[in-house]
């Protein structure tokens, strides 16, 4: 989309409002553009080509105040989730003028990688750098795991971006 942010770490569609959400986005500066790893930007509702905030649209941006980068994002049942390297943030639609409200709901429950998050049957599951987590609307839970020692004591942080979560629907597990 030529009118959107030039570079992003990732993006997804907020299905409840038909808004394209980009994170780790670029912002224009006097000498060019700068990528801010904690910046969330979104388009107008139903118009993925309008990214300029105004009094007549819903396009806006917000900078997550904690962490060093946004790792992942996902739209789930009428809300949006944003993972930084440190925490999980919820991004709820609140309407005009601010459009979205941001709240940290999982302190210390950041995602290990962009693909380390997965939705399955009403819950969201992910791997962080020191635990496995679950969110099902009532708050973030640390998941007990019999292979925790094997996984986290042998985790090579140089390859953390390769962590993937996949559903195993036949056994209702991720």
């Amino acid at each position: 989309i030529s009118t959107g942010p030039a570079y992003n770490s990732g993006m997804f569609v907020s299905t409840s409002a038909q808004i394209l959400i980009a994170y780790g986005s670029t912002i224009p500066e006097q000498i060019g553009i700068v990528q801010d790893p904690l910046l969330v930007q979104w388009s107008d509702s139903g118009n993925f080509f309008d990214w300029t905030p105004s009094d007549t649209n819903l396009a806006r941006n917000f900078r997550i105040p904690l962490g060093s980068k946004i790792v992942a994002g996902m739209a789930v049942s009428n809300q949006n989730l944003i993972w930084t390297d440190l925490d999980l943030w919820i991004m709820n639609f609140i309407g005009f003028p601010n459009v979205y409200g941001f709240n940290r709901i999982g302190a210390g429950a950041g995602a290990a990688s962009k693909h380390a998050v997965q939705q399955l049957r009403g819950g969201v599951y992910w791997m962080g750098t020191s635990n496995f987590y679950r969110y099902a609307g009532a708050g973030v839970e640390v998941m007990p795991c019999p292979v925790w020692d094997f996984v986290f004591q042998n985790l090579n942080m140089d390859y953390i971006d390769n962590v993937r979560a996949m559903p195993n629907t036949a056994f209702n597990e991720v």
Side-chain angles (χ1 to χ4, degrees):
I1 299 175
S2 61
T3 54
Y7 301 102
N8 304 287
S9 298
M11 56 182 20
F12 61 93
V13 175
S14 175
T15 53
S16 61
Q18 293 301 303
I19 293 175
L20 186 59
I21 298 171
Y23 55 88
S25 295
T26 53
I27 53 175
E29 293 289 333
Q30 292 177 336
I31 59 170
I33 57 173
V34 175
Q35 190 166 14
D36 184 341
L38 290 169
L39 183 66
V40 180
Q41 295 191 89
W42 54 91
S43 68
D44 189 18
S45 179
N47 183 357
F48 299 155
F49 295 97
D50 190 357
W51 291 78
T52 305
S54 76
D55 293 339
T56 60
N57 71 19
L58 299 180
R60 301 282 185 276
N61 62 56
F62 179 82
R63 188 174 194 280
I64 302 285
L66 299 170
S68 61
K69 67 179 180 175
I70 297 173
V71 176
M74 176 185 288
V76 297
S77 61
N78 294 323
Q79 55 190 354
N80 304 301
L81 301 176
I82 303 285
W83 287 267
T84 67
D85 54 337
L86 300 178
D87 307 313
L88 172 62
W89 291 75
I90 195 164
M91 180 180 172
N92 282 325
F93 186 80
I94 58 173
F96 198 78
N98 294 329
V99 184
Y100 284 105
F102 289 78
N103 291 302
R104 184 172 62 161
I105 60 167
S113 75
K114 179 183 297 196
H115 300 289
V117 301
Q118 185 68 47
Q119 186 175 7
L120 179 67
R121 295 190 175 116
V124 179
Y125 303 85
W126 69 97
M127 180 177 153
T129 56
S130 62
N131 256 316
F132 294 102
Y133 300 96
R134 176 178 185 260
Y135 172 70
V140 174
E141 304 170 12
V142 173
M143 295 181 57
C145 180
V147 294
W148 186 95
D149 287 339
F150 179 79
V151 172
F152 291 103
Q153 290 183 1
N154 294 303
L155 185 61
N156 185 339
M157 294 301 284
D158 291 337
Y159 298 100
I160 196 76
D161 290 337
N162 293 330
V163 171
R164 303 285 193 268
M166 299 298 292
N168 186 356
T169 54
F171 295 96
N172 197 31
E173 65 186 18
V174 174

